[in-house]
Amino acid sequence: FPHLENPHFDPEQVVTSHNAEGSGSGVGNNVGMGNVHNNQAGNGQHFPVPPQVIGRVIQNQYPQYQALQQPPVPQQRTLRETLHPQRYSLPSCIVLPRDAVEFPIKPDMVRLLPTYHGFESEDPYEFMHDFNEVCGTMLYTGAPHDIICLRMFSFSLRDLAKKWLMYLRENTIFSWTQLQQQFFDKFFPPKRTNALMKALQCFVQKPNESFAKAWERFKSLTYAIPHHGMDFSQLINYFHQGLTSDTKMFLQMMSNGMFFEKNLDEAWDRLDF
């Protein structure tokens, strides 16, 4: 095509040359502009050629140009094809950096990862801690920890958690920090925080529960909600208030009657003893 082969292709030149060639045979008169160009050529004036005339001349001389301008006709699908999905995998919500280093994901690596199903009985903080720990052992030249976590995260999810990741809007996660925040927003909602805070503040030692088991259970609550925002003094007071009278006497005996005379670090170490 002339407009593809010649970067300086000018449709008006095509019209002018076409009219010049056809001025003696009536072609210019058929186009309607040959006489205008010929009559004005002597006095140095130039009238622009109307677009409709340019289109007519190009279509006459270059019919393939007209075919190029027409939009392609979409191929119609059969009724059977409309009953089956065309996409076999959902687009990912995770967008890796363009310069991210590619590394092979082997089955042995996937087996090392902790799994999370999205059940209420599971601890999302514990899962995320274990996941970061395992990904920290996967060392690849040029691949930072965040990129490794982004690529391996989907392999550790099951059931509800897997569906949650699949249903996230495509191309919306650009960093590991952002993905972790989305994860906790979903699986650690405010109602879960409020329930754990209440269990922490209203801790009570169970009947026939030893001091050591009561302390371990209390610490598990603090680890389950690391964003509780309480200092050692508040935590120790909540724990002490929930103990039975016999256990309180036992704690005093362990501290030679000086438990409340200790500073916060010493009191915590005594409880951990």
Side-chain angles (χ1 to χ4, degrees), residues 12-53:
E12 292 196 12
Q13 292 181 2
V14 174
V15 175
T16 303
S17 61
H18 180 76
N19 292 338
E21 294 173 358
S23 59
S25 59
V27 177
N29 295 329
N30 291 335
V31 173
M33 287 298 298
N35 293 334
V36 174
H37 277 278
N38 293 336
N39 293 339
Q40 301 298 334
N43 54 19
Q45 297 182 4
H46 174 73
F47 289 93
V49 182
Q52 62 270 23
V53 175

Side-chain angles (χ1 to χ4, degrees), residues 168-214:
L168 285 180
R169 191 158 54 91
E170 59 181 293
N171 301 330
T172 55
I173 303 298
F174 299 93
S175 68
W176 175 232
T177 301
Q178 184 184 4
L179 182 55
Q180 290 183 98
Q181 186 62 55
Q182 292 275 358
F183 175 80
F184 287 127
D185 288 346
K186 173 63 178 179
F187 298 106
F188 212 116
K191 66 177 183 178
R192 185 178 183 125
T193 298
N194 294 334
L196 288 173
M197 289 288 288
K198 184 177 180 180
L200 196 62
Q201 296 170 352
C202 303
F203 177 83
V204 176
Q205 185 180 7
K206 296 179 180 180
N208 300 323
E209 185 179 32
S210 66
F211 167 79
K213 290 184 178 180

Side-chain angles (χ1 to χ4, degrees), residues 90-118:
L90 294 176
S92 175
C93 63
I94 300 175
V95 180
L96 295 175
R98 293 183 177 180
D99 57 348
V101 176
E102 294 287 339
F103 57 89
I105 299 178
K106 301 179 181 179
D108 291 341
M109 299 165 53
V110 177
R111 283 194 288 267
L112 292 174
L113 296 173
T115 58
Y116 188 81
H117 301 78

